[in-house]
Amino acid sequence: MADTTWLTLAPAFLLGLTGLLVLYVDSIGHSTKGPIAVLSLLGSLGVAGVAIALPDVLGLGPAGWSFVSVTLLAMFALALFVEPGSQNRRLIAGLSTAGAVGALGVAAAFLFTFDGEPVNPFGDALVVDGMSLFFAVIVASVTAMVTVASYNYIAEHSYQAEYYALVLLAATGMTLMASANSLVTVFVALELASLPSYALVAFLKENKGSVEAGLKYFLVGALSSAVFAYGVSLVYGATGSLQLTAVQNAVTGEFTGMLGMGVVMVVGGIAFKTASVPFHFWAPEAYEGAPAPISAFLSSASKAAGFVIAFRVFTEAFLQVSESAGEFLVLGADWVLVFQILAVVTMTLGNLAAVTQDKVKRMLAYSSVGHAGYVLMSLAALSGGGATATAKIEAGQFVLAGGMMHLFVYGFMNTGAFLFIALAEYWDVGRTFEDFTGLGRQAPVASVAMTVFMFSLAGLPPFGGFLSKYLLFGATVNSGFVWLAAVAIVNSAVSLYYYSKLVKALWFDERPDDKKPLEISSRPTGLYAAVIFAAVVTTAMYGVFGPVSDAAVEAAAALL
């Protein structure tokens, strides 16, 4: 009987396969187009015959052979549409977007039909449950918006196939991070997401700022990977296992030096990925220097992927429920206290730094750091709750779901904000707040969308950011951490200043005499479509918040 559990990883397979197909399209030349098309068609027919006659060969089963056959048929179809000697911009962008949308559709279908029973494809190294599917939806959504927007943004640049392939392969790594069920799988998926990201930040090779940002991101990322890997080795040395539940079973309730140091180093590695203080210093440089769609991709999808491994690793490997004592047992080191400190410092420093910025893109970068602090509350408030183990578990599920919902909404409102910056860069508007003055009169539709993003990021109704913050802050209070929620509310009020500062520049400020007049000569379809879509979803979140938050609570229940 063939094993078909691998099909549950279809979102990751679709993203990775699409990335490879993009490179395949780019490799087809005048002399190879015909032979490749013929071989792909013959291969597809041959594999289809195998699927019918010998379905269990190699253990793939009918589903596996059908997948291979459809892939070869897609290669045949793509070869027919390729124009050798050109960049095939429309074909490559369309294929990339189709792959991301397909992954989104499959992940959403799996999520809302999920029966609650986790699936372990390829042994215990990976797990597919509500949590992994929820974050696959976030990553695929952001990827789809970024690929649509990039069609216009990189229109005049070379190496477009490589650009889209790197985005899709990075998204594949982020999706696998959500399914990682062992520390070594976490590390491999983390590197699969990180390595393409370094190249994407430095994609604008003629721009010194982009190259410098890519180099800094690479160097700091390599250091953080080393710290994380060393932490994993210490955990393995102390427990003799890398699989998360096996680590939990091997750990006693006492803190030990080797295990404690390993846990702290794992926290450091994850804090880098989520741009948490004091491991955040790469983020403003990378986000400012990178192409704006890549800034959106890293600050939304990559951040969500970093948090999903934090949620899974710390709840499954370093947390136990004591039924007799009616409390959570934090294992290895008091990482809950560490996350409480990180949450307060991260949200406070991020928001205060954003207040002082005069460049819009850099302001959004520090804003992203502040939002990382809000989501860290999900881990910082885990040890609270009621007097019984059941009450604590319910409170823990609620606060984790709050963090997940904020990341879901953040994926749209923050991506949309950075894509608006991409639109401004496309028009050569400038970088400072003063450069954006009067843009509301020149581009009212896009500016209305940016206003939605700013107010939603600040947590004002009637936008999605208000609902997600309300759920997260309320869950934190419900867990008994009123002081932490109060700090978050104060920081959210501070953020309203710099968000409204941009809205004021767009709509109300007069353009300074020393600034050149705005000249908007085009309305790039891809960028406009992505920005408007993000704004519509952010505004319409009231209509879908209930079902999605229920899915988030069910996903959190898989961990606690």
Side-chain angles (χ1 to χ4, degrees):
M1 188 71 179
D3 182 11
T4 58
T5 57
W6 62 270
L7 287 172
T8 56
L9 290 171
F13 279 127
L14 277 172
L15 289 168
L17 178 62
T18 305
L20 296 177
L21 286 176
V22 166
L23 294 177
Y24 158 78
V25 168
D26 189 54
S27 68
I28 296 177
H30 289 281
S31 60
T32 57
K33 178 177 178 177
I36 286 177
V38 172
L39 290 175
S40 299
L41 179 60
L42 293 177
S44 176
L45 295 175
V47 170
V50 172
I52 296 172
L54 302 169
D56 293 326
V57 173
L58 300 180
L60 291 180
W65 286 113
S66 298
F67 181 82
V68 176
S69 179
V70 170
T71 300
L72 290 170
L73 188 60
M75 293 173 65
F76 165 71
L78 288 170
L80 296 181
F81 288 100
V82 168
E83 297 179 9
S86 72
Q87 292 201 63
N88 295 287
R89 287 185 56 240
R90 291 187 179 180
L91 179 60
I92 288 173
L95 175 61
S96 302
T97 303
V101 171
L104 170 61
V106 172
F110 283 175
L111 176 63
F112 289 105
T113 59
F114 188 65
D115 60 4
E117 189 65 29
V119 177
N120 292 98
F122 307 111
D124 291 330
L126 296 167
V127 60
V128 177
D129 55 11
M131 176 72 74
S132 66
L133 294 171
F134 188 90
F135 279 90
V137 169
I138 296 176
V139 172
S141 300
V142 174
T143 304
M145 288 186 285
V146 168
T147 54
V148 170
S150 296
Y151 175 73
N152 298 121
Y153 188 87
I154 65 168
E156 304 301 323
H157 294 277
S158 304
Y159 306 106
Q160 296 199 13
E162 290 81 355
Y163 172 91
Y164 285 106
L166 288 170
V167 169
L168 291 164
L169 293 176
T172 303
M174 295 170 193
T175 307
L176 291 175
M177 286 165 68
S179 294
N181 198 37
S182 78
L183 291 172
V184 69
T185 313
V186 168
F187 180 75
V188 172
L190 184 65
E191 291 306 296
L192 177 57
S194 298
L195 293 175
S197 300
Y198 302 147
L200 287 168
V201 170
F203 179 75
L204 304 176
K205 296 194 296 181
E206 302 301 323
N207 185 315
K208 291 183 179 179
S210 177
V211 175
E212 180 182 352
L215 180 60
K216 290 179 179 178
Y217 186 27
F218 169 72
L219 292 175
V220 178
L223 177 62
S224 73
S225 294
V227 170
F228 183 83
Y230 192 61
V232 169
S233 70
L234 292 178
V235 172
Y236 178 74
T239 63
S241 180
L242 292 169
Q243 202 272 335
L244 299 182
T245 54
V247 170
Q248 182 197 68
N249 294 332
V251 177
T252 64
E254 301 177 356
F255 295 166
T256 60
M258 180 184 292
L259 179 61
M261 182 60 70
V263 171
V264 170
M265 296 182 82
V266 169
V267 171
I270 292 175
F272 163 81
K273 198 64 184 175
T274 57
S276 302
V277 175
F279 306 96
H280 70 290
F281 43 84
W282 62 271
E285 301 294 334
Y287 295 172
E288 185 179 20
I294 300 306
S295 301
F297 184 63
L298 294 180
S299 61
S300 300
S302 181
K303 188 180 295 293
F307 273 111
V308 71
I309 60 175
F311 293 163
R312 192 179 296 280
V313 167
F314 287 100
T315 57
E316 293 200 344
F318 303 119
L319 189 71
Q320 287 181 348
V321 179
S322 174
E323 297 286 350
S324 58
E327 63 181 5
F328 285 137
L329 298 178
V330 180
L331 307 177
D334 193 355
W335 51 264
V336 171
L337 176 61
V338 174
F339 280 121
Q340 289 171 357
I341 296 171
L342 285 178
V344 172
V345 175
T346 299
M347 70 176 78
T348 303
L349 190 146
N351 282 297
L352 292 179
V355 168
T356 65
Q357 302 303 311
D358 61 353
K359 295 180 179 178
V360 177
K361 200 174 182 183
R362 200 170 181 87
M363 176 273 286
L364 288 176
Y366 278 109
S367 160
S368 180
V369 174
H371 280 272
Y374 301 144
V375 182
L376 284 171
M377 294 164 59
S378 298
L379 294 167
L382 264 184
S383 60
T388 65
T390 301
K392 287 185 179 294
I393 290 173
E394 290 179 352
Q397 292 172 356
F398 192 31
V399 76
L400 274 180
M404 292 167 60
M405 279 307 301
H406 190 63
L407 287 169
F408 179 81
V409 178
Y410 183 77
F412 290 96
M413 59 187 179
N414 183 71
T415 301
F418 272 105
L419 293 182
F420 177 85
I421 301 302
L423 194 56
E425 291 179 354
Y426 182 87
W427 287 326
D428 195 24
V429 168
R431 293 178 173 271
T432 67
F433 283 89
E434 285 189 345
D435 291 325
F436 283 75
T437 53
L439 189 57
R441 291 181 286 274
Q442 295 287 327
V445 174
S447 296
V448 166
M450 189 59 166
T451 303
V452 169
F453 302 140
M454 293 296 98
F455 287 158
S456 185
L457 285 165
L460 297 181
F463 307 110
F466 168 75
L467 291 174
S468 62
K469 283 188 177 181
Y470 182 83
L471 178 60
L472 177 57
F473 296 174
T476 304
V477 171
N478 183 61
S479 292
F481 291 88
V482 178
W483 65 270
L484 186 57
V487 173
I489 291 171
V490 171
N491 273 282
S492 193
V494 170
S495 72
L496 181 59
Y497 167 75
Y498 57 81
Y499 289 134
S500 60
K501 182 180 176 182
L502 179 59
V503 175
K504 178 172 173 285
L506 288 173
W507 295 104
F508 303 110
D509 288 350
E510 293 296 329
R511 194 164 184 83
D513 294 335
D514 60 338
K515 295 291 181 181
K516 65 179 182 180
L518 290 173
E519 296 180 1
I520 299 186
S521 57
S522 63
R523 298 289 190 273
T525 306
L527 280 165
Y528 255 83
V531 168
I532 293 172
F533 174 77
V536 169
V537 174
T538 301
T539 306
M541 196 60 67
Y542 269 78
V544 299
F545 195 84
V548 178
S549 61
D550 290 341
V553 172
E554 293 177 7
L559 301 185
L560 293 176

